[in-house]
Amino acid sequence: MDQELWTDVDRYFGDRLVGSDPVLDAALADSTAAGLPAIHVAPVQGKLLHLLARMHGARTILEIGTLGGYSTIWLARALPPGGRLITLEADPAHADVARANLARAGLAGTVEVITGPALETLPRLAEAGHGPFDLVFIDADKPSNPEYLTWALALSRPGSVIITDNVVRAGEVIDPESTDPRVRGVRRFTELLAAEPRLSATALQTVGSKGYDGFALALVTAGGPSADAPSAPEARDGRDAPATPRTGTLRETLRGLDVFAGELPSFQPHTAPSAPEQLFVDWLFEAVDAGVREPHAMTLSTVDPEGNPAARVLILKNVDADGWQFAVHAASPKGRDLAAHGRAALTFYWPELARQVRVRGPVVAEPPERSAADFLARSPEARAEALLGLQSGPLTSLAARDAATGASLERVEREPGLVAPEWTLYSLRAEEVEFWQGDRQRNHTRLQYTRGGEVEGEGEGWVKQLLWP
């Protein structure tokens, strides 16, 4: 076999499984025009990186070695909404080419290109609290591979994946007498990989349009004397051991967690509609489209008769001319709070978009027929629980709970039209609604709607006001 055949096979699979992509093709063309060395990954290898990141469910990726951003685009396209990639490039000219390629790919808000020697920028990443990263791709100067691996491990967590390219060096990796600093760096890297108890790793040889080489693949484990002898993870509340390692103080861990990561949407307050309901619905559907989990969940805040505040998470039922609607059992603590004070606040938070909406005002009960319709639209299990009317009361045992809900569910199945008389649909008639768009540089945008003033032909209207972050 020879190089010509390897290239033809790469082309065969690339044409059928990868295809042509104008953005990626342009990235390669511009990199060549700028005089960058042709050491980027092949298309089939780029697709492999993309698939590995997707299969792993990576939300945060660190790339050491950007070049023109070709592999960066492949990796960044694997990120879910709100995902974030940081890539390190030593050469400022290469970084400029990469930034242009990423901008053309629509990834400028997802990827941050940091310029400077990686052994200088990696400590700064750690100091700034970046990480842990779900996936690290090492494809930079080979003599520094051992140091890059050390930093990759420091910026990872159990479950993170570390991929390192060009570890075979046309077979020279097995030569202990090699004087090539790249080979020596890969050999030291491999020895470190083998000795590190927190890693379980392998390496594969590859041939293709890029010649004879290969890559190493490592999984960060929970550590121990033998990472390749897996044991059952510690259980906690029926779940696997936590993914984030518990190192340092709680304060240090909290300060190290990333916020406002990934590409965030823009918000132009001057385009906002005259009333808040339509803007809220628009934002809600954008959260749905972005894959936000349970975007209709909200925090309901009330005050009890003694003035003690309480908050809990409920599901939004609807937003219409009557207000923001939710339903509760009137005899529950929140139902009693609403009966005592008749005012509440709602808070929605969509972290993937760095958006929150705050709504407050008086709460009114809807007519019994609307409450009954809402109750009957609930699942049988939810109706069975509500019919018990025991929410927040003392419970003697989980077995008692299961027996009572089981009997109530049987009743629901026998009488499908049964409605809990205390079940109440409420509407919060908003007097104030605030829309908050977060920004990584903390230049948050806040727009407040306050009810007041008359709108000709429409009755009471809304006054809009920008607020300081």
Side-chain angles (χ1 to χ4, degrees), residues 270-293:
H270 68 276
T271 66
S274 58
E277 293 86 355
Q278 184 56 56
L279 181 57
F280 175 84
V281 171
D282 289 344
W283 276 28
L284 177 61
F285 278 109
E286 288 178 27
V288 172
D289 293 341
V292 175
R293 186 173 181 177

Side-chain angles (χ1 to χ4, degrees), residues 55-238:
M55 288 187 289
H56 187 53
R59 296 187 60 85
T60 54
I61 297 175
L62 172 64
E63 180 183 49
I64 303 175
T66 314
L67 196 61
Y70 183 74
S71 57
T72 318
I73 295 172
W74 275 112
L75 288 167
R77 284 178 169 180
L79 290 167
R84 186 74 176 163
L85 188 153
I86 294 177
T87 182
L88 311 180
E89 174 53 46
D91 190 314
H94 294 181
D96 288 342
V97 174
R99 290 189 182 98
N101 287 333
L102 291 163
R104 179 172 46 229
L107 295 168
T110 301
V111 178
E112 180 180 2
V113 181
I114 298 178
T115 306
L119 294 181
E120 296 178 8
T121 56
L122 284 165
R124 292 203 291 268
L125 282 183
E127 291 170 5
H130 290 287
F133 293 93
D134 300 321
L135 186 148
V136 181
F137 179 47
I138 302 173
D139 190 14
D141 61 299
K142 310 312 168 189
S144 299
N145 268 9
E147 290 75 24
Y148 294 153
L149 178 61
T150 299
W151 276 109
L153 189 55
L155 291 166
S156 298
R157 58 171 176 78
S160 294
V161 170
I162 302 173
I163 305 170
T164 307
D165 202 11
N166 307 125
V167 299
V168 174
R169 312 304 305 172
E172 293 183 33
V173 68
I174 66 172
D175 181 6
E177 305 301 324
S178 176
T179 59
D180 186 331
R182 295 168 298 181
V183 174
R184 294 173 67 85
V186 170
R187 285 180 61 85
R188 288 195 302 120
F189 162 86
T190 305
E191 295 303 320
L192 179 60
L193 200 62
E196 175 52 66
R198 293 169 292 174
L199 293 174
S200 180
T202 189
L204 295 176
Q205 304 177 73
T206 61
V207 294
S209 59
K210 294 296 178 178
Y212 172 34
D213 213 320
F215 63 92
L217 183 67
L219 174 70
V220 181
T221 67
S226 176
D228 286 317
S231 58
E234 280 186 33
R236 188 178 66 145
D237 298 333

Side-chain angles (χ1 to χ4, degrees), residues 302-310 332-342:
T302 57
V303 177
D304 71 11
E306 288 73 41
N308 300 306
S332 67
K334 48 188 171 289
R336 297 195 297 270
D337 290 355
L338 293 171
H341 287 286

